[in-house]
């Protein structure tokens, strides 16, 4: 079920809202509950008769809150480092882990958002998106969003 960021359930908190850096005309929302992290992007609707909110398409991904420390460690110490500095082995671009019974995958993305931007693809292979009966949930986050947008620091604050 898609969350309404203007009317969240009692045990959910909106903790971040910003332009989704690297993606034109998108806004990123971060919501947390006791057990889940929600990354929600909103963009102008592609089809006005199928919009999720007035004039907007909404894309929501959900991850166990316990996966945040793993995400931080994987990005900083595996994805962003070379193999000689302890990162992933040469030729490997993703890592998978199961946390709270959910299979998660983080991949290096060399074409994230606008053309040729570096970023991260964070997948929850255990959850099907609300807007599709097939596949898995996925959120692309540019390095710019993680660093200059402060998202990685926000995740570190949540993980404390």
């Amino acid at each position: 079920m898609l969350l309404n960021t203007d009317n969240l359930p009692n045990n959910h908190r909106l903790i971040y809202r910003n332009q989704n850096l690297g993606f034109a005309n998108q806004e990123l929302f971060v919501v947390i509950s006791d057990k889940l992290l929600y990354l929600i992007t909103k963009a102008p609707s592609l089809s006005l008769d199928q919009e999720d909110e007035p004039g907007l398409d909404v894309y929501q991904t959900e991850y166990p809150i316990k996966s945040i420390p793993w995400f931080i460690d994987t990005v900083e110490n595996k994805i962003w480092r070379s193999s000689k500095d302890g990162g992933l082995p040469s030729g490997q671009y993703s890592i998978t882990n199961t946390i709270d019974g959910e299979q998660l995958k983080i991949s290096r993305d060399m074409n994230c958002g606008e053309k040729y931007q570096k970023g991260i693809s964070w997948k929850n292979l255990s959850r099907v998106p609300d807007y599709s009966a097939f596949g898995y949930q996925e959120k692309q986050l540019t390095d710019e969003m993680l660093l200059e947008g402060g998202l990685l620091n926000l995740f570190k604050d949540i993980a404390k």
Side-chain angles (χ1 to χ4, degrees), residues 3-158:
L3 294 177
N4 179 340
T5 55
D6 293 325
N7 187 22
L8 291 169
N10 289 336
N11 60 341
H12 292 66
R13 288 187 304 132
L14 175 65
I15 60 170
Y16 182 89
R17 178 182 180 176
N18 196 5
Q19 169 84 27
N20 193 10
L21 301 177
F23 291 85
N25 303 315
Q26 278 192 16
E27 209 171 3
L28 177 68
F29 298 76
V30 178
V31 173
I32 58 171
S33 71
D34 294 341
K35 296 187 184 267
L36 292 174
L37 167 74
Y38 299 84
L39 300 179
I40 301 167
T41 51
K42 297 182 183 185
S45 182
L46 298 175
S47 177
L48 296 179
D49 62 334
Q50 295 179 11
E51 58 196 12
D52 298 306
E53 292 181 9
L56 298 172
D57 288 333
V58 179
Y59 304 95
Q60 176 175 302
T61 54
E62 302 154 13
Y63 309 93
I65 201 94
K66 292 180 181 178
S67 68
I68 295 172
W70 173 73
F71 177 86
I72 295 164
D73 179 62
T74 299
V75 170
E76 290 186 328
N77 298 313
K78 300 293 183 199
I79 301 287
W80 283 347
R81 287 192 183 177
S82 68
S83 58
K84 68 179 181 176
D85 292 329
L88 293 176
S90 182
Q92 182 180 342
Y93 304 102
S94 66
I95 189 165
T96 303
N97 196 0
T98 300
I99 299 174
D100 265 2
E102 300 194 41
Q103 188 178 13
L104 308 174
K105 182 176 183 179
I106 298 173
S107 306
R108 185 59 162 152
D109 195 334
M110 301 306 280
N111 197 16
C112 184
E114 295 168 3
K115 198 171 185 178
Y116 304 124
Q117 287 189 110
K118 293 179 182 178
I120 301 297
S121 172
W122 192 7
K123 298 174 182 155
N124 187 332
L125 302 171
S126 298
R127 291 182 182 249
V128 175
D130 285 327
Y131 46 86
S132 170
F134 302 101
Y136 47 82
Q137 293 183 359
E138 176 180 15
K139 187 64 66 195
Q140 288 184 311
L141 302 166
T142 63
D143 289 357
E144 181 184 19
M145 187 74 229
L146 290 166
L147 297 170
E148 286 83 20
L151 195 58
L152 192 60
N153 285 334
L154 177 70
F155 288 167
K156 289 177 181 181
D157 288 342
I158 296 169

